[in-house]
Amino acid sequence: MTDRAANDTLRPASGAGRPGAVADQLFPAEPGVRAIARELYGHAKDLPLISPHGHVDPAILAEDLPFPDPARLIVVPDHYITRMLASQGVPPADLGVPSLDGTPVESDGRVIWRRLAEHWYLFRGTPSRLWTERVFREVFGVETPFGPATADLVYDAIAARLQEPEFRPRALFGRFNLEVLATTEGPLSDLSPHAKLAADGWGGPGGRVITTFRPDDLVDVEWPGWADRVRQLGSLTGRDVSSYAGFLDALRVRREAFLAAGATCSDHGHPTAHTGWVSDVDALYRAALGGSTERAEEFRGHMLMEFARMSTEDGLVMQLHPGADRNHNKALFARHGRDVGGDIPTATDYVRGLRPLLDEFGTDPRFRIVLYTLDETTFTRELAPLAGGYPAVFLGAPWWFLDSPEGLRRFRETVTETAGFYNTSGFVDDTRAFCSIPVRHDVARRIDAGFLARLVAEGRLPLDEAAETIADLAYHLPRKVFRLEKNS
Amino acid sequence: MTDRAANDTLRPASGAGRPGAVADQLFPAEPGVRAIARELYGHAKDLPLISPHGHVDPAILAEDLPFPDPARLIVVPDHYITRMLASQGVPPADLGVPSLDGTPVESDGRVIWRRLAEHWYLFRGTPSRLWTERVFREVFGVETPFGPATADLVYDAIAARLQEPEFRPRALFGRFNLEVLATTEGPLSDLSPHAKLAADGWGGPGGRVITTFRPDDLVDVEWPGWADRVRQLGSLTGRDVSSYAGFLDALRVRREAFLAAGATCSDHGHPTAHTGWVSDVDALYRAALGGSTERAEEFRGHMLMEFARMSTEDGLVMQLHPGADRNHNKALFARHGRDVGGDIPTATDYVRGLRPLLDEFGTDPRFRIVLYTLDETTFTRELAPLAGGYPAVFLGAPWWFLDSPEGLRRFRETVTETAGFYNTSGFVDDTRAFCSIPVRHDVARRIDAGFLARLVAEGRLPLDEAAETIADLAYHLPRKVFRLEKNS
Amino acid sequence: MTDRAANDTLRPASGAGRPGAVADQLFPAEPGVRAIARELYGHAKDLPLISPHGHVDPAILAEDLPFPDPARLIVVPDHYITRMLASQGVPPADLGVPSLDGTPVESDGRVIWRRLAEHWYLFRGTPSRLWTERVFREVFGVETPFGPATADLVYDAIAARLQEPEFRPRALFGRFNLEVLATTEGPLSDLSPHAKLAADGWGGPGGRVITTFRPDDLVDVEWPGWADRVRQLGSLTGRDVSSYAGFLDALRVRREAFLAAGATCSDHGHPTAHTGWVSDVDALYRAALGGSTERAEEFRGHMLMEFARMSTEDGLVMQLHPGADRNHNKALFARHGRDVGGDIPTATDYVRGLRPLLDEFGTDPRFRIVLYTLDETTFTRELAPLAGGYPAVFLGAPWWFLDSPEGLRRFRETVTETAGFYNTSGFVDDTRAFCSIPVRHDVARRIDAGFLARLVAEGRLPLDEAAETIADLAYHLPRKVFRLEKNS
């Protein structure tokens, strides 16, 4: 703001309110409830972290090299951060986000870092602020408050830490008390980082670092290059993918490879929750190979049926993330491509969309599906009733824009009364920011503690059961829901 | 959870938080607000109960026989309970839910009861838990905390009570301080239990137990057996139902019978809120009799117009419950039929759907419609603006999945600022669980007390007006809205 | 209610809760959070008011005549008030709302006033109650609690004040600490009040009272009389409006006149958020002039593209208010016309609707659009992600039914985590009730103080930054977003 200086003499009355001071962070303010929350949190805070769904690059842990500079670690790959800066006129290129056509972008980490610091006030009240400042303090031990005046100081301190052996990925993995971390790969991935991890005793079935089967780019015929990727799938598996049957077989072959790399889950990011068999799927498939995208939505819905069927056979837990209008920001997409903050949520109909899938598999004891949403209106109206009715359905943690203190709180407030706690999946960090994992889980544990504390304070749940519940939510439930009980 | 035992040593720090301890249950935790809530609640808690909409079997009160065993009373007919257990793999058949084809289901009440107890942790944070534990304690005087270890103890204690004369339905009716209870019947019902009640001085116009006219199964041509039921309607009324005019006349005849059995309301459960006249309705009707279901939605919308018109003539208050996708769970429906927990809410458009009906009747002083929803998004966006604008429109209490502490609280928070308190209908328990009626009303009174207390604490409403308001919400308003002022 | 008298002996335990006692009004009840809120509010409460969007008649300030009687000032023009009374059976005609056909309506201000007083209990818990009682007390110095028994007393006291010179509009403008007030006019307005204001040193570019360009009645071909108005536009501008190019040119001419009258914004109230170029727009336009309304939605969407393009040229900030189903209440519309409380919100799709506009202008540094909604479900799902991603997009304050304590609170709770504070526009009173302006702004400042106080209390934001933020939200941000930095 123009006259920020006018307020420069303002100082906090005390240490209270400084995000660094996290002892009671995120707990309800009322002292009685806060005391209960603190006690409940004590039953969860030291439990190992289960990270069943995320986007950490497995090469990081396979190679265990030092992280790059602070800007490349914390700013460049984080679309929460780059989109907020873009929204106030700082182009992603000025933050080092790679361009599709190779146009040079900012390459000086320190310059990127200063740009972040200069606009740090934009993040007030956001989870990015919370996560980032706690990472500075708790992961890197940097207590200096972050801002324009201290940008270099913080940069240098973190950069120095990143050179130390205790800040290598595997060392941090141990320090974070991570029990198991699932990464996400497409069927065309050769999974070589996971092979290296297995060789080192870190990966494979039951391992500490495992993969997840994410076939979207082979299922979405509207995604440019689909037919080429299908051909690659054929080469990789030695299957004849000119027919739908061969395509399906090739996908099965890849699922086996993913199972061998420890996968316990598949993951599916679709524009909608539409499901349903297509009667002439071979014809549809061949037309798509010939370039037709007309029936893309039908094909995606059909493939969800197929993947559900495969899940009943091979036991992979299905995860569905529908409802993003991808690449909404045309200019951003043209310059920087996918997954850089241009996706916007849309209203999603789970009830009609999933009906065919649930009719066929919803009560099959071998099948399990975890549903995520960007559309909060579905929490009470659709998702809690579905999860509270079908044995196969679990509710995933609040996702993406909803993975935030208020989002997590509203999730429990809207879902619990119909689905209870035990039809939810436990927290999922869904992040590519490895260093933020412990903070994200801690935020979820604190919010759950606060919600449960309110139930206790309002005479709705005894304290002992609340304590048991928070431990279940933090640890036991995700292990069970995502079939990770052998991983440790 | 796998290591529940690990937490077995946990015990509540004190009695606080034990749901049994209800003195301040559901009041806001902040001591100042809680004190106000307690005072306001005092103005409502002893007022008689008005139950203008529910599904208690009138035969229960007509015959006044002892209730069956605890499982048949509390578990088997409660789809909140059976669906939650189904969601975690306990099939409804194992809980005694009758099968359509006569396949045997669990018949041992004690076995069913133990299955509930074993899974009781699933209900943490749900209204079912709250209602049930308070029914044990307050209706049956059983203080033992319910759980796997105490299942038989609680079962035996309740079973013993059920043999005592003070636990017969009519005795409980008196103890519950019920002033009037409306049941719900279809037009084909012979209303004989209501005749018996009238003969005993309990029923008929102005009586303590009255009926409600619910014609859905004669209006929804997609409901299997519709044409047969229409023919039954013809027989019952002596009208020629081969034409639409005769059908309409027959419905009018049944409304008269319902009025004679004390009805003050009709009730309509439709998939959507669509309304509108059909110009060629006789042709549509005859086609439907011939088996066509093509224009089912049009016919339902047309019939809502007809029923609104009839309401202007005979004074029945119309209630509309739209927005459930019925029988979503195909396997459940095939095995156990309707109304056993398989319905899922969907997004509902009241604004466009109701426009024809409100254009014609919305400002007619003889007409009144009470709107319910399963789609909370409509509270601020559609329902509060409609109720706060049309003289004929009132907002029904949060329904079904929303009849819960958080649901009731959000209802007041989202509706009041646009519709005020006096365009809402007061609480409606909508239950078939007779013994839970006082607890459900008490929950609503407590939540209203808490909401009003916050308004007082934030300087938005004087205490004396808040006290008057809570008494109105609990008692005076439903008597007036549902035209029950002569029933007592 | 029937036995209101029964509660007549109830009196508030203390002054607390009486809306008049506003010292801590609307602050969270928890004493620790309340203390922080009070401190934060102190940083905002005396800042000048920025009113960038409203519907005050500019003639009031141009002519500076005494206001009419209290009923004509406070009841007759306020559709929040008249619709609530209508919802309980008091026809608008009985409240003096003018009829379209000249049928006489109630003309005695005192009678209207008594009708309001008699039904004042209907407004419990509504913002209308809060605003009105504070206007009585703070603007007119009337401390008597308002109600049936005191109606005349309050009426007389206000009527007396209205005769005093200090209660003339310009005097109040000064007392209200208003820095700038934007009114709203259609392109056909001759802007003569603004000319008078400019002549008096109150108006024109950078002035205290400015206009806003609102072209809806020239853009919505479904609005009766459209072609006539287009012809008037031709006359007023001397342009040949028989072709689309001429029409566009004429609109540009009017925008220049509005700029000369100080406008910094345009405003657009559309049924949906649809945007998109029409390729054969001249043909569409000519057909519409010939009476066709078939492609009305297309034309509205096209014109939003045109206005966005014009904004990039002349710098007017675009405001979009979509999602009202206009004139829903047919009887009301027939008797009293538009804008008397008959509009009802509907679900709105911003993501798909705005895509064409944002594709073309969303990252253009010359363009700015402020989005409003009546559909709260879009706050987390659509609007915060759009505002937090596109440089051109800002989120307007909660609008209409959502401009209320709970609405404002939910806005911050749902929007902040994704869009931050600095992609919102600051408060907009949107009112025609001149005397209520300071109260409305004060309510927003109090709610923001309460929200920020919770962030501080939960360790999510330091106190000094919260203090800076509230001053930004109250003053600095709206000045910047609406380009009012030269107005003071």
Side-chain angles (χ1 to χ4, degrees), chain A residues 351 355 390 417 468 476, chain B residues 3-4 124 327-328 376 404:
Chain A
V351 176
R355 194 163 183 159
Y390 283 99
E417 294 183 317
E468 188 178 274
H476 305 291
Chain B
D3 55 354
R4 171 125 318 116
R124 290 173 185 165
N327 315 314
H328 195 273
E376 286 189 275
S404 60

Side-chain angles (χ1 to χ4, degrees), chain B residues 397-412:
Chain B
W399 171 40
W400 196 348
F401 296 116
L402 304 177
D403 174 11
S404 60
E406 303 294 322
L408 289 157
R409 181 178 56 75
R410 285 196 300 269
F411 173 73
R412 291 289 174 213

